[in-house]
């Protein structure tokens, strides 16, 4: 009675905690139908086989499958920004449920869940890694091992906002690696990389290449939101 449940999107009254009101839910751009098998972006038409978008065909993603439950727009964008910059940890349970529902279908039960790392200075200023919060919740729901310290961002990269695709990849080059003491742990193990948003995929690619250098097995990707044009 003192703290009634509120919609995570607009703050209005709702019946259950950690959810959206009917209006916000209807305005959330969920990704449905045919999707790219590597990045999860929505594609037109239907297909009985796995398909890839033009970007993934041209880039050659260093992972096996990737998925995202929502497009980075509207209510979903507000939720991501609230989690990333507004200390909105209350968004994590609902976001993790969405990510699990949209998880890469070929993900093996022996996978290790690894979040995309923040540089130490950014972690200290933000006080938490939103990708690690999501990864921990996803791992718990899937019953998988959660390893938050496998990857390290040893070079402080500039903000990727507004940068071109090529500039994003150049900025992340050699910025992320596997911690030496964790290399043996991920060798011959499948990896599920977790992040909040995928734009060009440069950060996830850097993480995947680092895991491959440590001889991990196939790599899967799941993010909360995918930056893409509306259908």
């Amino acid at each position: 009675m003192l703290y009634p449940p509120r919609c995570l999107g607009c703050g209005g009254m709702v019946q259950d905690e950690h959810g959206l009101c009917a209006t916000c839910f209807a305005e959330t751009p969920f990704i449905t139908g045919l999707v790219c098998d590597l990045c999860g972006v929505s594609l037109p038409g239907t297909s009985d086989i796995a398909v890839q978008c033009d970007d993934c065909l041209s880039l050659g993603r260093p992972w096996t499958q990737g998925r995202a439950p929502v497009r980075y727009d509207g209510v979903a964008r507000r939720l991501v920004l609230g989690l990333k910059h507004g200390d909105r940890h209350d968004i994590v349970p609902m976001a993790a449920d969405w990510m699990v529902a949209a998880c890469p279908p070929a993900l093996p039960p022996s996978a290790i869940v690894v979040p995309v790392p923040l540089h130490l200075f950014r972690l200290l200023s933000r006080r938490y890694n939103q990708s690690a919060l999501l990864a921990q919740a996803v791992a718990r729901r899937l019953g998988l091992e959660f390893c938050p310290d496998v990857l390290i961002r040893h070079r402080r990269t500039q903000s990727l906002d507004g940068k071109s695709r090529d500039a994003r990849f150049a900025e992340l080059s050699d910025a992320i690696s596997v911690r030496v003491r964790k290399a043996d742990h991920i060798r011959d193990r499948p990896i599920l990389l977790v992040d909040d948003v995928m734009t060009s995929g440069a950060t996830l690619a850097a993480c995947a290449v680092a895991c491959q250098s440590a001889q991990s097995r196939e790599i899967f990707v799941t993010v909360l939101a995918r930056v893409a044009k509306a259908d």
Side-chain angles (χ1 to χ4, degrees):
M1 294 178 63
L2 293 176
Y3 302 100
R6 297 281 183 175
C7 171
L8 296 176
C10 67
M13 301 284 287
V14 292
Q15 289 187 340
D16 301 315
E17 290 184 316
H18 306 302
L20 298 176
C21 67
T23 300
C24 285
F25 188 85
E27 295 177 355
T28 301
F30 287 98
I31 296 175
T32 58
L34 182 65
V35 300
C36 173
D37 198 44
L38 288 177
C39 74
V41 71
S42 181
L43 296 174
T46 60
S47 177
D48 294 331
I49 61 173
V51 294
Q52 299 175 11
C53 68
D54 291 341
D55 281 348
C56 289
L57 287 172
S58 64
L59 287 172
R61 306 288 191 185
W63 59 76
T64 301
Q65 279 186 327
R67 291 293 189 274
V70 295
R71 195 174 68 247
Y72 185 66
D73 193 19
V75 173
R77 183 176 184 274
R78 294 204 305 269
L79 293 173
V80 170
L81 292 176
L83 172 61
K84 193 168 189 173
H85 301 296
D87 290 336
R88 291 290 308 278
H89 296 195
D90 55 327
I91 293 170
V92 171
M94 180 183 69
D97 288 340
W98 291 354
M99 295 169 74
V100 168
C103 214
L107 181 70
S110 58
I112 299 175
V113 181
V114 176
V116 168
L118 289 178
H119 187 270
L120 179 60
F121 290 165
R122 186 163 295 174
L123 180 61
L124 291 175
S125 64
R126 191 174 293 173
R127 304 186 310 280
Y128 64 94
N129 179 355
Q130 72 280 357
S131 298
L133 296 178
L134 291 170
Q136 184 178 36
V138 167
R140 185 181 300 117
R141 284 158 174 74
L142 293 175
L144 300 178
E145 181 181 357
F146 171 56
C147 291
D149 58 346
V150 166
L151 297 172
I152 180 171
R153 193 182 296 234
H154 48 78
R155 179 165 59 81
R156 189 178 186 181
T157 54
Q158 298 179 5
S159 173
L160 301 180
D161 293 342
K163 290 184 179 294
S164 67
R165 186 182 72 179
D166 290 344
R168 286 171 177 264
F169 277 86
E171 183 65 29
L172 269 297
S173 178
D174 298 323
I176 297 173
S177 62
V178 173
R179 293 181 188 273
V180 174
R181 60 185 175 85
K182 289 293 183 177
D184 288 341
H185 188 67
I186 69 169
R187 185 174 291 117
D188 294 325
R189 296 283 300 276
I191 303 294
L192 176 62
L193 292 173
V194 177
D195 204 0
D196 55 350
V197 181
M198 183 194 302
T199 303
S200 66
T203 302
L204 288 160
C207 293
V209 169
C211 290
Q212 289 175 342
S213 69
Q215 301 178 28
S216 63
R217 283 174 50 196
E218 65 266 68
I219 297 168
F220 301 84
V221 165
T222 184
V223 298
L224 173 56
R226 177 72 168 95
V227 175
K229 295 180 181 180
D231 297 336

